[in-house]
Amino acid sequence: MSTKSKCLYAFKDLECEVGIDEAGRGPVLGPMVYGCCFWPLSVRDEMKKTYGFTDSKQLSEADRDRLFADINSINHSQLGYFVSILHSEYLSNTMLAEFDNGGKNLNKISHDTAIELINRVKDAGIIVRKVILDTVGQPEKYVGILRAALKDPSIEIVVESKADFNHPVVSAASICAKVTRDQVLRDWQYPEKKQIDSEFGCGYPGDPKAKQWLKRNFDPVFGFPTLVRFSWKTCSTILEDNKANVEWFDPVVQPQNFGASDGKKQKTLGFGKTVTQKDADDLQKVSQKERENNRGLKNMKVKRNFQI
């Protein structure tokens, strides 16, 4: 059975445009969420006129929620959408890793996520004829990256600044991304075993509330809660200025004597220890909170990919 015969979208036989935008690229905490919306090329003007899609940053929270409800009400019949949620822990680990060990900068993460979303739309059986994206880096270079990855000359690729304002399909994608990110933050259950408040304001590095929250919830040994992007300069500065200094001594063992005892006792740290019942119970509690975070998104009926 072909992919198209499995397509769940009523407009599967029509040529479509795809819009992609993100929410939460700049904040020091919370996920970066990519939204992807698609509909037939023939209904572009109708969608703009009927629903008034525009850049999510120009809308109030109430208007964004209303439009997201509209998007869900016509999902599969007149349009489709996906979101990809890139959690702080994933961003931190990926951006701090060495490039030869899977590390990526934020632009590379953004490019790869956009490509994955476009391919997901194609895999859903949609005839993609045009993709429109807000630029990340130089527009011409981004077009080249997309062209090389998609390997489909029949697709028109448009990359420009303010695409979320100029193109309704990108506006709709930005609404999906923004509403999803806000919902993740509202429903977030901290897996850390300590009381952590959520008074972090907008979460941007320059926000005084965010700065105070970071300092208030900083641990000199473990750093910040997993909601925080450790790779951001704001965080690294706090870490450098306030971290606990740890010193330990480990006698040098010559290669020929490797494994032999020199009579000195060395304290074994907590790596590789046997997992006790208490350890297992604690892990279960963390897993339960992660499930609660995911359940909150499921209740929104959000189609999402998780990077955790």
Side-chain angles (χ1 to χ4, degrees):
M1 186 177 291
S2 68
T3 302
K4 286 189 177 182
S5 64
K6 297 179 181 178
C7 186
L8 301 175
Y9 297 92
F11 50 89
K12 65 182 185 300
D13 296 323
L14 301 177
E15 295 184 340
C16 293
E17 64 178 0
V18 178
I20 294 177
D21 197 23
E22 51 74 26
R25 179 180 171 87
V28 71
L29 50 82
M32 179 171 69
V33 179
Y34 259 80
C36 166
C37 192
F38 49 96
W39 57 47
L41 284 162
S42 58
V43 303
R44 170 194 170 103
D45 294 337
E46 178 187 341
M47 286 293 185
K48 174 69 174 178
K49 181 178 179 181
T50 302
Y51 297 102
F53 292 125
T54 189
D55 176 16
S56 64
K57 294 186 289 295
Q58 307 294 322
L59 300 168
S60 67
E61 182 178 356
D63 285 338
R64 288 195 299 266
D65 289 343
R66 173 181 56 80
L67 287 169
F68 188 59
D70 288 340
I71 289 170
N72 275 293
S73 71
I74 57 175
N75 189 27
H76 292 98
S77 60
Q78 299 180 53
L79 58 73
Y81 80 93
F82 300 121
V83 296
S84 185
I85 303 170
L86 309 174
H87 282 289
S88 298
E89 193 169 4
Y90 167 77
L91 294 174
S92 297
N93 291 341
T94 304
M95 293 177 68
L96 291 172
E98 298 291 340
F99 287 136
D100 59 359
N101 195 32
K104 304 176 185 178
N105 62 28
L106 193 58
N107 280 3
K108 174 64 172 170
I109 292 172
S110 297
H111 294 159
D112 288 352
T113 304
I115 291 165
E116 288 169 5
L117 285 169
I118 296 168
N119 284 328
R120 188 174 176 189
V121 175
K122 294 174 68 178
D123 290 344
I126 300 300
I127 304 172
V128 178
R129 285 292 174 262
K130 185 175 185 178
V131 295
I132 311 169
L133 309 93
D134 208 44
T135 190
V136 175
Q138 293 296 322
E140 298 80 6
K141 183 177 180 181
Y142 196 2
V143 169
I145 291 170
L146 292 168
R147 181 71 66 201
L150 297 176
K151 297 181 175 65
D152 188 343
S154 69
I155 298 177
E156 178 186 357
I157 300 174
V158 177
V159 177
E160 62 182 50
S161 297
K162 300 189 181 302
D164 49 358
F165 182 78
N166 297 325
H167 300 274
V169 72
V170 184
S171 302
S174 76
I175 291 167
C176 295
K178 176 61 175 169
V179 172
T180 300
R181 174 178 154 81
D182 288 348
Q183 188 67 44
V184 170
L185 289 174
R186 277 196 300 269
D187 294 344
W188 187 257
Q189 299 289 319
Y190 293 97
E192 290 80 12
K193 294 182 289 183
K194 60 185 291 187
Q195 288 295 114
I196 303 174
D197 66 87
S198 296
E199 300 299 322
F200 42 66
C202 68
Y204 277 83
D207 181 6
K209 283 188 175 181
K211 289 181 178 179
Q212 288 302 316
W213 185 91
L214 288 170
K215 293 178 181 178
R216 191 165 60 247
N217 293 286
F218 173 77
D219 184 284
V221 175
F222 298 104
F224 301 100
T226 51
L227 185 66
V228 175
R229 305 176 187 179
F230 280 62
S231 50
W232 259 232
K233 180 65 176 177
T234 304
C235 294
S236 61
T237 299
I238 295 175
L239 284 166
E240 286 299 318
D241 292 344
N242 301 280
K243 67 179 184 293
N245 291 319
V246 180
E247 294 183 357
W248 68 94
F249 298 93
D250 192 9
V252 176
V253 179
Q254 297 301 323
Q256 63 268 26
N257 296 323
F258 187 79
S261 172
D262 61 358
K264 295 180 180 179
K265 293 184 178 180
Q266 299 180 41
K267 183 177 179 181
T268 303
L269 301 180
F271 300 100
K273 66 180 182 180
T274 302
V275 177
T276 65
Q277 183 59 49
K278 183 179 182 301
D279 293 329
D281 291 342
D282 289 343
L283 287 172
Q284 180 64 28
K285 290 177 183 177
V286 172
S287 298
Q288 177 62 33
K289 288 191 175 181
E290 289 176 348
R291 285 195 293 273
E292 289 171 0
N293 287 333
N294 294 348
R295 191 178 301 118
L297 287 168
K298 183 177 181 182
N299 292 337
M300 290 175 62
K301 298 181 180 178
V302 171
K303 299 173 188 277
R304 72 276 191 207
N305 285 340
F306 284 106
Q307 296 279 4
I308 298 177

